[in-house]
Amino acid sequence: MSSRSQAIADILTRAIIDHRLVPGCKLGERELSEIFHVSRIVVRQALIRLADDGLAQIERNRGAFVARPSMQEAMEIYDALTLVEQGVAAQLSERLGPAGWAELRQHVERQRQAVAAGNDALADVLGQEFHTVFVRLSRNKVMQEIHAQLVRRTTLLRSLITADFDYCNLLDDHSRIVDLLEKGRLKPAMDLIDAHHRSVVRGYIMDRQVFPELTPRDALEPYLDGKTGEAPKSLSQTQIKTGEKDEPGMHRHVHASR
Amino acid sequence: MSSRSQAIADILTRAIIDHRLVPGCKLGERELSEIFHVSRIVVRQALIRLADDGLAQIERNRGAFVARPSMQEAMEIYDALTLVEQGVAAQLSERLGPAGWAELRQHVERQRQAVAAGNDALADVLGQEFHTVFVRLSRNKVMQEIHAQLVRRTTLLRSLITADFDYCNLLDDHSRIVDLLEKGRLKPAMDLIDAHHRSVVRGYIMDRQVFPELTPRDALEPYLDGKTGEAPKSLSQTQIKTGEKDEPGMHRHVHASR
DNA sequence: AACCACAGGATTGGATATCAATCAATGAGA
DNA sequence: TCTCATTGATTGATATCCAATCCTGTGGTT
């Protein structure tokens, strides 16, 4: 239904947020066109979409690369995300009906069960999804799209950073946010959202390659073939350990919750 | 410096927010490629950028059209804009230094002088710019871009709607918002931002063609030639009166302030 | 050895021609 | 008048070609 360049942009986006394509990775037109069996022009259109989304940067006559956000930009992205979610929280605290609160609680409960079952990969996905569900309940598609874009960019950031905090402290944040909001305690809820994001950002150390660099051909291989758009195996199971020794304060786990 | 498709996307964006290209207007690839003397491919890339920005919509095998947002979407855009500006207001009320407040006051003063001088066109531009300056002071480029996109879309909306309120009531809103924020009275300021936008939306009646439809060739003519990107004459001076009689409650002035 | 200049290769940005797929309008026939 | 098929126009996409630019490697110079 959609154009082919959109489909390719979607695949590239997926590969980037799956950390299979890491920041700085060259996205050559010829190489991608051979991988996807399309013409260079279609690839170029896809890259334009990625660049507009902030996931790639195009340098004239040099080509496209997976975006490598600066520390400054990383902070700005998290600030923007906080701003959006705080605003949505304020709207929901006034307008959300019982069914909405129930949906949020149900989502938190599913995540809790995943954590209890030790399924970190599922917990991680649910943890991310919570924010998306949260914004969806505002019933504002424009806001949803803005938020989704910001989330994609934060996911990209995680290819570049090393979190040295204990993520277990964040596990209950979602639940507490829902509690506070439903009770109408907006200000504490907004502060908690801020703290939720700040605690993720605080220990960030950039200029490290957290994920191993794959060639585009290897990185994109799982998404091809089927054409069904089926989810490739979660990276948390196929993740490759890099050769370098772990440094102090460097953890290799994925975040179970943001 | 930038690619040609970006330059063309910029021109089309400009033409749309100047209301020279009205919603629903067909943006044929062949026609545009002849107008700009570029190939269809460059035009297509420009149209992709516009579509990503929400200013155009591309229908498969049918082509691109200037976006015609629904009433629902119009409300969502204004809600999102309110959310963003309220969030920025909250940040500024904590973090903005004296120089920042001075810049805002200076801007308001310039607009006041323009109104006093009867220069409605300049006042309109300054009124729009206020919101941009406001967000720029947050020093968050990511947020700035999101906000700028929302502003562009609200500008597009004004091609579709007829305001039947007395815009004089809004003239002092900017000034009062600055006053309240500088005094640390955040809540009233946020309420005023909300009211500011709501008062614009309230009387909106869609499904009217406020601006006359021009062919793309006529609409884009002022932007070509010079290649200097110079501002074409403001529409408020070249605006053409449509043949149809004014209906009750239908004003043809441009907004002096949002 | 270090440094600079230049040539060649590789890649991107873009133009043109061409073809297939799809939509819309037109017109023939019941 | 209504229905259906054909035709024309437009888009989506490809292949090929060319110019501009960047990177690199070589070679000469200090």
Side-chain angles (χ1 to χ4, degrees):
Chain A
M1 77 184 200
S2 186
S3 66
R4 191 142 3 178
S5 65
Q6 182 64 63
I8 289 175
D10 288 343
I11 291 178
L12 290 174
T13 297
R14 183 65 180 275
I16 291 173
I17 68 178
D18 280 349
H19 306 297
R20 296 187 66 88
L21 289 171
V22 300
C25 178
K26 175 76 185 287
L27 300 172
E29 293 182 3
R30 181 172 303 280
E31 186 175 9
L32 292 178
S33 69
E34 287 171 4
I35 291 173
F36 290 112
H37 302 103
V38 296
S39 67
R40 271 177 53 207
I41 288 173
V42 174
V43 170
R44 212 141 80 232
Q45 289 162 354
L47 292 175
I48 287 174
R49 290 182 143 96
L50 254 68
D52 280 354
D53 223 37
L55 293 182
Q57 49 193 69
I58 298 176
E59 301 177 22
R60 184 174 174 89
N61 287 320
R62 295 231 13 214
F65 305 82
V66 178
R68 182 153 36 189
S70 64
M71 191 67 190
Q72 167 73 19
E73 191 174 348
M75 305 295 285
E76 291 183 3
I77 291 170
Y78 270 101
D79 268 4
L81 191 64
T82 301
L83 191 154
V84 166
E85 294 192 0
Q86 284 181 334
V88 170
Q91 289 190 349
L92 292 187
S93 74
E94 297 174 0
R95 307 208 286 240
L96 193 59
W101 296 115
E103 184 173 349
L104 282 176
R105 293 199 173 285
Q106 183 183 351
H107 196 97
V108 170
E109 181 54 29
R110 279 205 295 155
Q111 186 185 353
R112 191 186 307 280
Q113 289 175 2
V115 172
N119 190 342
D120 279 357
L122 178 59
D124 191 39
V125 170
L126 289 174
Q128 296 223 23
E129 238 182 55
F130 175 82
H131 297 250
T132 303
V133 172
F134 188 76
V135 175
R136 172 153 45 84
L137 289 172
S138 75
R139 300 194 168 278
N140 184 326
K141 286 217 171 66
V142 173
M143 208 67 246
Q144 274 176 57
E145 184 46 46
I146 290 171
H147 179 263
Q149 180 182 335
L150 288 171
V151 168
R152 285 193 291 270
R153 294 174 79 172
T154 63
T155 309
L156 164 66
L157 287 177
R158 249 169 273 145
S159 297
L160 267 184
I161 57 188
T162 300
D164 61 355
F165 60 90
D166 183 359
Y167 68 104
C168 297
N169 290 339
L170 300 175
L171 271 173
D172 287 330
D173 279 0
H174 293 168
S175 175
R176 287 168 56 202
I177 288 172
V178 176
D179 283 344
L180 288 169
L181 281 179
E182 195 170 13
K183 287 174 187 158
R185 302 189 58 201
L186 178 58
K187 187 60 168 49
M190 286 173 70
D191 288 342
L192 182 53
I193 289 172
D194 189 26
H196 185 67
H197 288 144
R198 276 186 202 285
S199 65
V200 176
V201 169
R202 190 174 299 128
Y204 277 5
I205 301 163
M206 304 206 44
D207 296 328
R208 293 213 191 156
Q209 193 85 346
V210 179
F211 293 89
E213 174 151 3
L214 275 61
T215 68
R217 196 173 295 272
D218 292 335
L220 295 171
E221 182 272 334
Y223 306 93
L224 299 179
D225 257 340
K227 272 191 170 180
T228 61
E230 78 178 285
K233 295 178 293 297
S234 170
L235 187 63
S236 52
Q237 300 181 354
T238 61
Q239 191 174 348
I240 303 162
K241 196 172 187 307
T242 58
E244 64 191 14
K245 295 183 293 290
D246 279 8
E247 300 172 47
M250 187 169 180
H251 302 177
R252 207 164 287 281
H253 61 252
V254 297
H255 302 249
S257 163
R258 307 198 354 270
Chain B
M1 79 184 203
S2 187
S3 64
R4 187 113 51 148
S5 65
Q6 181 65 62
I8 289 175
D10 288 343
I11 292 178
L12 289 174
T13 297
R14 184 65 181 274
I16 291 173
I17 68 179
D18 281 348
H19 306 297
R20 295 186 67 86
L21 288 172
V22 299
C25 179
K26 175 76 185 288
L27 300 172
E29 293 184 2
R30 179 175 303 279
E31 187 175 9
L32 292 177
S33 68
E34 287 170 3
I35 291 173
F36 290 112
H37 302 103
V38 296
S39 68
R40 271 177 54 206
I41 290 171
V42 175
V43 170
R44 197 127 103 232
Q45 288 163 353
L47 292 175
I48 287 174
R49 290 181 202 269
L50 254 69
D52 280 353
D53 222 39
L55 294 181
Q57 47 195 70
I58 299 175
E59 301 177 22
R60 185 176 173 88
N61 287 320
R62 294 219 354 142
F65 305 82
V66 178
R68 182 153 36 189
S70 64
M71 191 66 190
Q72 168 73 17
E73 190 174 350
M75 304 295 284
E76 291 183 2
I77 291 170
Y78 270 101
D79 269 3
L81 191 64
T82 301
L83 191 155
V84 166
E85 294 192 0
Q86 284 181 333
V88 170
Q91 289 190 349
L92 292 187
S93 74
E94 296 174 0
R95 308 208 286 240
L96 193 60
W101 296 116
E103 185 173 349
L104 282 175
R105 293 200 173 286
Q106 184 183 351
H107 196 97
V108 170
E109 181 54 30
R110 279 206 294 157
Q111 185 185 353
R112 192 185 307 280
Q113 289 175 2
V115 172
N119 190 343
D120 279 358
L122 178 58
D124 191 39
V125 170
L126 289 175
Q128 297 222 22
E129 238 182 53
F130 174 82
H131 296 251
T132 303
V133 172
F134 189 75
V135 174
R136 172 154 45 84
L137 289 172
S138 74
R139 299 196 168 279
N140 184 326
K141 287 218 171 66
V142 173
M143 207 69 246
Q144 274 175 58
E145 185 46 46
I146 290 171
H147 180 262
Q149 181 182 333
L150 287 171
V151 168
R152 285 193 292 270
R153 294 173 79 174
T154 63
T155 310
L156 165 65
L157 286 176
R158 249 169 272 144
S159 296
L160 267 183
I161 57 188
T162 300
D164 60 356
F165 60 90
D166 184 357
Y167 67 104
C168 298
N169 290 340
L170 299 176
L171 270 173
D172 288 328
D173 279 359
H174 292 168
S175 176
R176 287 168 57 202
I177 288 173
V178 176
D179 284 343
L180 288 170
L181 282 178
E182 195 170 13
K183 286 176 188 158
R185 302 189 59 199
L186 178 58
K187 187 61 168 49
M190 287 173 68
D191 288 343
L192 184 53
I193 290 172
D194 190 26
H196 186 67
H197 289 144
R198 277 186 201 284
S199 65
V200 175
V201 169
R202 189 175 298 129
Y204 277 5
I205 303 163
M206 302 204 47
D207 297 327
R208 294 213 189 157
Q209 193 84 347
V210 178
F211 293 88
E213 174 151 3
L214 275 62
T215 68
R217 196 174 293 273
D218 293 335
L220 295 170
E221 183 272 332
Y223 305 93
L224 299 179
D225 258 342
K227 270 189 171 180
T228 61
E230 76 177 288
K233 295 179 292 297
S234 168
L235 188 63
S236 53
Q237 300 181 353
T238 61
Q239 190 175 349
I240 303 161
K241 196 173 187 308
T242 57
E244 62 190 16
K245 295 184 293 292
D246 280 6
E247 300 172 46
M250 186 170 181
H251 302 176
R252 206 165 286 281
H253 61 254
V254 295
H255 303 248
S257 163
R258 308 198 353 270

